[in-house]
């Protein structure tokens, strides 16, 4: 599983990130999130602000983004929260990266449904491209993480790459997705099974077929 300890607080880290501040656009977005909550409840915006900060770091570093400790401190000050409370949130949720990542963060589900459908082969395909769990590949493109269930069991095996899910994978289908990303393209997200729509049965519906074209009333058949 992913290491949830923050990157060590070093002088080099401080030198790079101590001056972090919102861009003008992101400040508007941050204040919009805060304004959703009633007076005295502004701290409830901590999760969207952490996500926003991670995305800003990603834009600055051409990566998926992460949360250096000085950035976490900035969010704490912005929301008038103890730093440890913000760190507790950031370290609990896997959507936040506490260590540098590559341009694309490849999160492979290894839970039972995906494992039974071939997630070990998906992990092997990732490693064959130079990905290392918890590290950044030599070309700077990839960070590999094994995660728990992400709710796509009906279309297993799946991976999440940055903000998109890719499902019904084989090593060959995953390679096609990764090749497209590396080339600066935007591959189709969701199921990679030809002809399949979202999580509907492969090969089309097998029951309630008349419901495909109309709101058919089956009660008379029962």
């Amino acid at each position: 599983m992913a290491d949830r300890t923050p990157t060590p607080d070093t002088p080099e880290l401080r030198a790079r990130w101590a001056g972090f501040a919102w861009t003008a656009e992101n400040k508007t977005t941050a204040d919009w999130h805060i304004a959703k909550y009633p007076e005295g409840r502004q701290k409830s915006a901590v999760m969207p602000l952490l996500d926003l900060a991670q995305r800003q770091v990603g834009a600055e570093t051409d990566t998926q983004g992460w949360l250096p400790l000085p950035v976490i401190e900035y969010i704490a000050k912005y929301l008038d929260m103890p730093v440890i409370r913000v760190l507790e949130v950031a370290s609990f949720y896997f959507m936040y990266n506490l260590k540098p990542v590559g341009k694309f963060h490849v999160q492979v589900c290894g839970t039972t449904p995906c494992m039974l459908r071939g997630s070990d082969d998906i992990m092997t395909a990732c490693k064959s491209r130079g990905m290392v769990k918890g590290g950044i590949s030599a070309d700077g493109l990839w960070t590999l993480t094994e995660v728990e269930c992400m709710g796509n069991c009906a279309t297993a095996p799946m991976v999440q790459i940055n903000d998109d899910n890719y499902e019904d994978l084989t090593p060959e289908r995953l390679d096609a997705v990764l090749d497209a990303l590396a080339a600066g393209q935007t591959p189709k997200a969701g199921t990679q099974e030809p002809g399949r729509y979202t999580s509907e049965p492969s090969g089309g519906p097998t029951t309630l077929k008349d419901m495909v074209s109309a709101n058919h009333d089956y009660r008379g058949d029962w």
Side-chain angles (χ1 to χ4, degrees):
M1 293 297 100
D3 182 359
R4 303 308 297 158
T5 58
T7 296
D9 187 12
T10 63
E12 293 76 19
L13 189 77
R14 291 276 161 190
R16 174 63 181 88
W17 295 109
F20 178 89
W22 295 126
T23 64
E25 180 180 2
N26 283 347
K27 185 180 187 308
T28 299
T29 302
D31 292 343
W32 174 75
H33 282 301
I34 293 171
K36 297 176 185 177
Y37 300 97
E39 188 63 33
R41 300 291 183 178
Q42 285 74 24
K43 296 178 178 62
S44 298
V46 63
M47 290 188 68
L49 263 61
L50 283 170
D51 179 70
L52 186 64
Q54 179 166 281
R55 291 175 187 275
Q56 181 170 318
V57 170
E60 293 182 19
T61 58
D62 193 27
T63 68
Q64 203 244 346
W66 66 294
L67 292 170
L69 186 56
V71 174
I72 291 174
E73 292 171 346
Y74 178 83
I75 300 300
K77 183 176 181 181
Y78 204 80
L79 291 173
D80 191 26
M81 293 176 66
V83 174
I84 186 60
R85 296 303 183 201
V86 181
L87 180 59
E88 285 172 346
V89 175
S91 61
F92 182 83
Y93 292 101
F94 275 60
M95 65 186 285
Y96 305 118
N97 302 316
L98 299 183
K99 289 180 169 57
V101 295
K103 185 178 181 69
F104 302 106
H105 187 187
V106 181
Q107 300 181 77
V108 179
C109 177
T111 313
T112 304
C114 280
M115 184 269 292
L116 292 174
R117 294 273 291 168
S119 65
D120 288 347
D121 294 334
I122 300 303
M123 186 66 73
T124 299
C126 290
K127 291 179 178 178
S128 70
R129 300 178 70 106
M131 300 186 201
V132 180
K133 281 187 182 181
I136 301 174
S137 60
D139 57 12
L141 283 179
W142 318 106
T143 289
L144 175 62
T145 305
E146 182 179 356
V147 297
E148 294 297 333
C149 183
M150 291 192 282
N152 292 91
C153 304
T155 50
M158 62 85 63
V159 303
Q160 179 178 325
I161 305 177
N162 292 3
D163 289 334
D164 288 315
N165 290 348
Y166 300 91
E167 306 150 31
D168 283 315
L169 291 173
T170 64
E172 295 75 20
R173 291 173 182 175
L174 176 64
D175 278 335
V177 169
L178 298 177
D179 286 341
L181 291 171
Q185 301 168 3
T186 304
K188 180 183 89 67
T191 178
Q192 304 299 300
E193 179 75 22
R196 190 177 192 185
Y197 179 71
T198 64
S199 57
E200 70 181 8
S202 294
T206 57
T207 59
L208 304 180
K209 294 183 178 181
D210 291 341
M211 292 289 285
V212 173
S213 57
N215 188 21
H216 183 77
D217 187 348
Y218 282 92
R219 287 174 294 184
D221 301 337
W222 300 338

